[in-house]
Amino acid sequence: MNLKFKQIFKNEVAQKEFEENGFCVLKLDNLKLIEEIIIAKNNFFTCIDDGFFLSHYNNNKAKNQEISNKLIELSKVELSNHFIDFEPIVAHFILKKRNHHETFNLHQDWSYVDENIDLPIQVWIPLQETNKENGGLFILPESHKNFNPRSAYFGINMHEATEIEKEKLLAINLKLGEFVCYHPGVFHGSFENKTKLDRNAVLIALSHKSADLFYFEKPSNEFEQYNKKVIQKDFFLADHFNIQNNLIKL
């Protein structure tokens, strides 16, 4: 198996596609998982008013951890069907409300491993079909190949797609039971939700079980590009939010 990275996908073709394009689409083996996640979501949240909602984007670390643990517990068998030697890091809900007429522009997600050494994988599981009409994802293939750190200090490089980028964008239309694995360094976004139904999804961040987790800080001197701080798996469940809002300092 001629791969730059350690094997983590059970399907060799999927791993090659992921490494080359920055994403791949897979199918759940057990559709019951979606029902179980929906029940969990309804138990955690009775009403969500935000047009675009990330369940971990707050400083309630205890609840964020409870949600993350529950989603990982529910998904562990399914993840084991698709990945080997992997370690879930965090999980959270993502909701785009009905009639939310706002495109989430191209951006990259936070760094959490050294991407020159280990593959980071964002597992995005929608709880219904997704498409251009209800807030489905779009991705700029191969845009993950030149590593750049993303953090509260460096940002996530959000921008509206240029004319050249628009020609290369792919809409990721998913049927019920399909999910997308994407590299956090690949540029991606989501369409506005023009429908009368909320678009719900779960995101689970994972990597190889041997991967070290890092937060990329401001360089300590003018000769460095960044400073790598070792973090624990729960870092993104409140600490990073607090850093972004200047509530705590590293």
Side-chain angles (χ1 to χ4, degrees):
M1 194 171 177
N2 184 25
L3 294 175
K4 176 181 177 181
F5 298 97
K6 293 182 285 288
Q7 184 180 358
I8 187 167
F9 285 88
K10 283 189 173 181
N11 185 311
E12 295 183 14
V13 174
Q15 177 144 344
K16 289 179 181 178
E17 183 179 351
F18 184 90
E19 289 190 27
E20 178 63 26
N21 297 323
F23 75 98
C24 64
V25 174
L26 301 174
K27 293 183 179 180
L28 296 175
D29 289 337
N30 183 12
L31 276 175
K32 188 178 179 181
L33 173 61
I34 292 178
E35 299 175 19
E36 293 172 341
I37 291 175
I38 290 173
I39 291 171
K41 172 187 168 292
N42 292 337
N43 287 337
F44 281 116
F45 305 103
T46 56
C47 180
I48 297 174
D49 296 323
D50 294 350
F52 185 76
F53 174 74
L54 301 170
S55 66
H56 70 310
Y57 193 67
N58 59 74
N59 62 356
N60 188 341
K61 196 166 188 174
K63 183 173 183 180
N64 295 343
Q65 187 73 72
E66 183 183 4
I67 291 171
S68 182
N69 290 345
K70 182 62 176 180
L71 292 175
I72 290 172
E73 177 189 355
L74 290 174
S75 306
K76 62 183 179 181
V77 172
E78 187 67 44
L79 293 175
S80 296
N81 291 338
H82 301 280
F83 303 100
I84 60 172
D85 296 332
F86 71 97
E87 182 71 23
I89 300 168
V90 292
H92 59 270
F93 292 103
I94 306 175
L95 178 144
K96 182 169 274 194
K97 291 285 284 187
R98 57 191 176 274
N99 296 316
H100 182 68
H101 296 290
E102 183 177 345
T103 298
F104 196 28
N105 283 327
L106 281 177
H107 65 283
Q108 298 170 298
D109 289 347
W110 308 119
S111 311
Y112 50 86
V113 299
D114 187 332
E115 295 168 11
N116 295 308
I117 299 173
D118 292 294
L119 277 183
I121 301 171
Q122 307 279 71
V123 179
W124 194 83
I125 306 174
L127 307 185
Q128 67 291 298
E129 292 189 7
T130 58
N131 49 56
K132 288 184 177 181
E133 297 300 310
N134 73 342
L137 296 183
F138 52 85
I139 284 177
L140 185 62
E142 301 186 39
S143 56
H144 65 298
K145 292 186 174 180
N146 295 318
F147 172 68
N148 61 298
R150 286 95 55 199
S151 66
Y153 174 75
F154 289 102
I156 56 172
N157 307 307
M158 181 174 285
H159 65 279
E160 188 173 347
T162 65
E163 292 303 315
I164 294 176
E165 288 173 331
K166 287 178 182 178
E167 294 177 0
K168 299 177 181 179
L169 289 180
L170 288 181
I172 310 298
N173 298 323
L174 299 174
K175 297 177 182 179
L176 186 67
E178 293 182 324
F179 63 98
V180 62
C181 300
Y182 69 88
H183 192 293
V186 79
F187 278 96
H188 63 284
S190 62
F191 296 100
E192 58 183 299
N193 185 357
K194 303 175 184 177
T195 71
K196 296 180 180 180
L197 297 174
D198 295 343
R199 187 224 68 191
N200 288 282
V202 162
L203 188 141
I204 304 170
L206 58 86
S207 189
H208 195 275
K209 66 180 183 181
S210 67
D212 293 318
L213 303 182
F214 297 108
Y215 176 72
F216 292 82
E217 300 176 293
K218 177 181 178 180
S220 58
N221 61 63
E222 60 180 315
F223 304 105
E224 296 177 342
Q225 291 183 300
Y226 49 77
N227 184 34
K228 287 165 54 174
K229 175 183 174 67
V230 176
I231 58 173
Q232 301 302 312
K233 291 201 300 182
D234 62 357
F235 176 80
F236 289 99
L237 297 179
D239 295 342
H240 195 233
F241 172 84
N242 290 335
I243 291 169
Q244 291 178 82
N245 290 275
N246 296 318
L247 298 179
I248 63 173
K249 296 182 179 180
L250 288 173

